[in-house]
Amino acid sequence: MVRSAVDRINKYTAKIVGDVVKNRIDAQKDLMVAQAEPEFSALATEENQIAAYTDPLGISPMLKPFYMSYGRKLHALKRKHTDETLHDEACIATVAWGTRGLDLFHLATIALNIYSINVFDCTA
């Protein structure tokens, strides 16, 4: 039997009631936080390593947030891809951030030293 449009609308309306959605999120909140904590710790550690690399180089404070964004991009790529796909995606990100004004050598060094991704071959 085919359900009518009215039945579908009523079911959908019941699903998106604020209290129902809130209760679902509240029930999963602890698990969501537990899953996010190690990722946030890893990101903070990686960003501290990027800061430790960029600080002695005299890189403009205006550019440092962009190097951090590049690091977050590499972190996300490492979670999604491996091997050749990771390398190719990291190359694309490196060239993209290079065209935005960041130094390609520094980007490749960050990728290699912090994320263990060698992108020197695509920065030449």
Side-chain angles (χ1 to χ4, degrees):
M1 175 173 161
V2 177
R3 290 184 4 225
S4 70
V6 174
D7 290 339
R8 293 172 193 246
I9 291 169
N10 290 339
K11 183 175 180 181
Y12 183 71
T13 303
K15 277 185 179 178
I16 60 171
V17 171
D19 293 338
V20 173
V21 173
K22 181 185 179 311
N23 292 338
R24 287 182 187 156
I25 291 174
D26 287 345
Q28 297 177 3
K29 192 175 192 177
D30 292 336
L31 177 63
M32 293 164 61
V33 170
Q35 290 175 341
E37 282 179 13
E39 288 300 316
F40 292 160
S41 297
L43 278 170
T45 300
E46 292 164 358
E47 287 180 1
N48 284 332
Q49 291 173 334
I50 293 170
Y53 173 76
T54 58
D55 286 344
L57 297 175
I59 291 174
S60 168
M62 294 293 291
L63 295 177
K64 287 181 185 177
F66 299 112
Y67 283 99
M68 301 292 180
S69 292
Y70 171 70
R72 286 189 292 275
K73 177 66 174 179
L74 291 181
H75 179 87
L77 290 174
K78 280 194 79 162
R79 293 192 66 220
K80 292 180 185 176
H81 305 293
T82 59
D83 303 327
E84 192 173 333
T85 305
L86 173 61
H87 175 265
D88 293 345
E89 292 289 332
C91 282
I92 292 168
T94 303
V95 171
W97 282 102
T99 58
R100 294 175 184 150
L102 302 184
D103 187 284
L104 286 174
F105 176 78
H106 297 317
L107 293 173
T109 303
I110 288 169
L112 182 61
N113 292 345
I114 298 171
Y115 298 95
S116 303
I117 306 169
N118 188 351
V119 292
F120 279 101
D121 60 332
C122 45
T123 59

